[in-house]
Amino acid sequence: MNSPARVIGFVNAAHFIDHYAMLIFAAAVIIMGPALGMAYSELLPYATRASASR
Amino acid sequence: MISVGLVRTPLQLGAALLAIGLFASIYHPVGTAMIVSYADKLGREMGLNGVWGNLGVASSALVTGVIGQYLGWRFAFIVPGIVTILIGAAFALSVVHEDRKGTKQAAAQARVAREDMWRVIVALLIVVIAISTTFNAVTVALPKLFAERLAGLTQSPALLGVIAACVYVFGAMTQYTIGKLLDRHSLKTVALPLSFMLAPFLYFAATLSNLPLIVVSIGIVMGAFGQVTVNDAMIGKYTSEEWRSRAYAVRYFIGFTAAGISVGLVAWLYEQGGFVTMLHAFAALCLLVIAAAIILPREISVPAAQAS
C-alpha cells in the first residue's frame, strides 16, 4: 500500500510541473519575439494550441 | 518541453506546444481525484496542492526570465523538460497502482438538498467557465503586462520574473488559506465574499502602472487562484468516489476549453485596444462569478463515514 504522504507529494510535484510547463511560453514569448522577428500578438496565439488541447 | 526548445519553424512551434498541452491535460482530472482519494483533510490538502500549482505559475515566470536572459529562450524549455523526466521516473519506481474504494476518505462530507442540486451544477458551470478563462488570461498576459507597464521600475526580464513570482506567491497563500477555511465553513460562506474580488481589481488594473499595478495584480491573483480552490473543493465535497474522476474530467474539459479560447481572446483584445480593453472585458466576465456565488445553495453536513 502506498504512503498517502508520498502519493500526495508526487501529485503536488506534478501540479507544480503542469502549471510551470503551461506558462514557460507566456514568459519566454517576450524574448522569443525579437529572436524570431515576430510581434507579441502574432506569437501569443501559438499558446492556444497548448491551452486548448489540455 | 524539450521539443519546444529545439523548434526551427512556426509549424514546429505550434506542434510542440500542442504536445505540451496534450500531456499536461492528464494532470488535473487524475491528480485532483488522487488528492481527494488520499486526503485526510480535504480542504487543507486541496489548498496545499493549489499552493504547489501556484508556485509552478510563480516560478515559471521567474526561472524562464532568468534562464532566458542568461542561456537563451531554448534552454528555458529544455532544462525543465529534463527535470520533469527525472521526477516522472522516480514516481514510476516508487508508487504502485491501488484500488482506493472502501478506504476512509475525507471527501463527500457535505450534501445539498436534491431539489437544490441544479443550483450547484449551474453555479459550477458559470464559475468554471468564467474563472478558467480569466485565470488563463491573467497568467498568460501578466508577464507582458508587467513588461509594458513596469517600464518605470525595470526592463530586465529576470527582474520582471521576480516581481511576477512575488505576485503569484500571494495567490499561493490565498489557496492555502481558502483550503483551510473550506474545512471549517460551508462553500457558500467562503465563495461569496471571495467572488467580489476579481471584477473591481481587473477593472482598476486596466489603467494602472508601476507600483499601484503590482498591488492591484496581487488582488487579481488572490481572487482568481482562491476561486480555483473553491471550484475543486465543490466537486470533492459533493461527489462520491466512483463519480469523482469523471466529474473532474468534465470540470477540466469545460475549464480548459474556455482557457484555450481565452488565449486567442487575449491576443485579439490586445490588438483591439491593448491591455485596457482586455482587462475591462475580463472584469465584466467576472461579474458572473458573483452571480454564481449568490445562487449556491446551503449545504447539509454529514459525517465522513456516512457519506462514503
Side-chain angles (χ1 to χ4, degrees), chain B residues 41 43 177-186 189-190 237:
Chain B
K41 288 198 166 194
T177 310
I178 293 292
K180 289 190 87 167
L181 286 172
L182 287 169
D183 279 334
R184 290 187 214 138
H185 306 284
S186 77
T189 311
V190 179
K237 273 189 160 195

Side-chain angles (χ1 to χ4, degrees), chain A residues 36-49:
Chain A
L36 299 173
M38 292 170 82
Y40 177 72
S41 56
E42 256 183 300
L43 259 178
L44 193 64
Y46 283 95
T48 309
R49 287 157 180 80

